[in-house]
Amino acid sequence: MTGDFGLVAPEEADAPGDEWEEIDYADTEADRIARKRDREFSEFRERIKDAEQFKVSESVFDDATYGALYKLVQDGYIDAFGGPISTGKEANVYTALGGEQASVELDADPEERHEVAVKIYRINASDFREMGDYLEGDPRFETLGHDKKSIVMAWVRKEFANLRRARKAGVRVPVPIAVERNVLVMEYIGTDTGRAKRLGEVHIENPETAYEVVREYMCRLYDAGLVHGDLSEYNIVVEDSQLYIIDLGQAMTVHHPNHEDFLERDCENVANFFARQGVDTDGDQLLAYVHDHGDPENGE
């Protein structure tokens, strides 16, 4: 793998305590569509259920999930569904052809169509206790209930908000496009031949430069009041000689009571990986660097 792993310029950001408006995770239009079940929605639901890539049980895709997909199509974010990218215990990710509104969010010509990723969280199959641990102490979710639906809907909106904040801080992440109930639409990082490779799946010809970019992104996240919480070579992907951070659903604010423990773990994971690539680093050194170069209270 070659490339200079160029950095992007950060935008001006507020201090982390200033912009955390409470995120609404109440019933959405998708729930209302599912309750109404008019003819058009019912026909859409049956088409999706019969599609090969969506051959899943009712316990995974409930009617409101179909309602969320229907709403995203109606709003111009999705034109057509593609195949699966990945499946996990908490979410399935699919490709899709983005609609006109998706092109707008991607800052592209509205007449052009781009492939997007559709991440669908499975309400009845997620580890809600672990999700709750990551949501604890986040001022955006002070009134969060403890039922499965509320936690998953909060989690999806949290991932959307985290992606927006990371991009504003100058971190390469997938562009967040739209969110509806338990469905997140975002930029697809990959090519026609498949998803982008994870950092641990490729040969790195310039590990020192790659490390410096990842280290800078960790600083920028921390400076913006965020800690990834699960960062490793498996949540960093390479596409077109650029590094992207992915899977920001669990990323927490510096308000989280255990954010320093998660930051320490991130540093340990990242440093251990790059040390195996020959870079002179360790977890303590990386943690000290992030603390020295990132200041959440400064906000810039």
Side-chain angles (χ1 to χ4, degrees):
M1 184 188 70
T2 61
D4 295 329
F5 314 113
L7 292 167
V8 293
E11 300 176 29
E12 185 176 350
D14 299 322
D18 295 340
E19 81 301 334
W20 299 120
E21 297 180 3
E22 186 173 344
I23 295 177
D24 182 12
Y25 47 85
D27 276 6
T28 68
E29 184 63 22
D31 296 276
R32 291 185 283 275
I33 289 171
R35 285 194 294 267
K36 186 177 179 182
R37 296 192 67 164
D38 63 16
R39 180 179 59 82
E40 288 187 3
F41 166 65
S42 295
E43 290 176 353
F44 172 86
R45 176 179 176 274
E46 292 308 310
R47 287 199 306 272
I48 295 295
K49 286 181 67 177
D50 291 341
E52 189 63 34
Q53 68 267 42
F54 293 110
K55 291 288 186 182
V56 292
S57 68
E58 288 288 340
S59 64
V60 176
F61 279 14
D62 59 10
D63 276 0
T65 299
Y66 292 115
L69 296 174
Y70 178 80
K71 182 72 164 50
L72 290 164
V73 170
Q74 295 298 106
D75 288 348
Y77 292 108
I78 298 172
D79 271 356
F81 293 99
I85 300 173
S86 64
T87 58
K89 63 180 182 179
E90 294 175 344
N92 292 353
V93 184
Y94 304 88
T95 59
L97 183 65
E100 181 177 338
Q101 285 302 120
S103 295
V104 171
E105 295 298 327
L106 291 169
D107 199 23
D109 185 342
E111 298 301 317
E112 296 180 2
R113 294 294 177 265
H114 297 268
E115 201 166 12
V116 299
V118 180
K119 190 172 188 177
I120 305 175
Y121 278 91
R122 298 177 291 179
I123 287 182
N124 291 327
S126 299
D127 189 338
F128 304 101
R129 284 174 295 185
E130 183 176 340
M131 283 181 168
D133 290 342
Y134 282 101
L135 292 167
E136 178 188 355
D138 191 322
R140 297 173 293 182
F141 305 100
E142 288 180 346
T143 60
L144 180 65
H146 296 287
D147 59 290
K148 293 179 178 181
K149 175 185 169 185
S150 293
I151 291 175
V152 172
M153 288 175 64
W155 186 271
V156 178
R157 280 152 182 77
K158 177 172 178 271
E159 183 165 7
F160 184 82
N162 288 342
L163 287 169
R164 288 200 305 185
R165 185 151 187 83
R167 280 183 58 79
K168 188 175 182 180
V171 179
R172 287 192 192 275
V173 297
V175 176
I177 295 172
V179 61
E180 181 65 43
R181 197 176 184 267
N182 57 318
V183 181
L184 171 65
V185 182
M186 57 189 162
E187 178 187 11
Y188 171 64
I189 308 297
T191 66
D192 293 340
T193 60
R195 64 165 176 82
K197 295 292 187 181
R198 302 180 190 277
L199 196 58
E201 298 174 332
V202 299
H203 170 67
I204 309 171
E205 293 186 7
N206 196 345
E208 185 70 42
T209 301
Y211 172 69
E212 289 172 359
V213 170
V214 174
R215 183 179 64 182
E216 176 63 20
Y217 282 162
M218 294 179 72
C219 290
R220 291 183 180 187
L221 284 175
Y222 187 63
D223 205 45
L226 286 177
V227 173
H228 187 284
D230 192 29
L231 192 60
S232 72
E233 65 270 26
Y234 303 107
N235 286 322
I236 303 168
V237 300
V238 186
E239 181 57 40
D240 196 22
S241 298
Q242 301 297 342
L243 300 178
Y244 290 78
I245 306 296
I246 62 171
D247 294 337
L248 271 76
Q250 75 292 317
M252 70 211 69
T253 75
V254 293
H255 302 91
H256 192 289
N258 299 321
H259 78 273
E260 278 294 330
D261 293 335
F262 285 106
L263 178 60
E264 183 176 344
R265 188 177 69 180
D266 284 353
C267 290
E268 192 73 22
N269 289 339
V270 170
N272 286 346
F273 170 75
F274 280 105
R276 293 195 297 272
Q277 312 305 311
V279 178
D280 182 16
T281 187
D282 58 41
D284 290 339
Q285 179 182 332
L286 179 53
L287 180 64
Y289 186 93
V290 172
H291 281 150
D292 287 345
H293 293 80
D295 182 5
E297 299 307 317
N298 184 42
E300 293 188 15

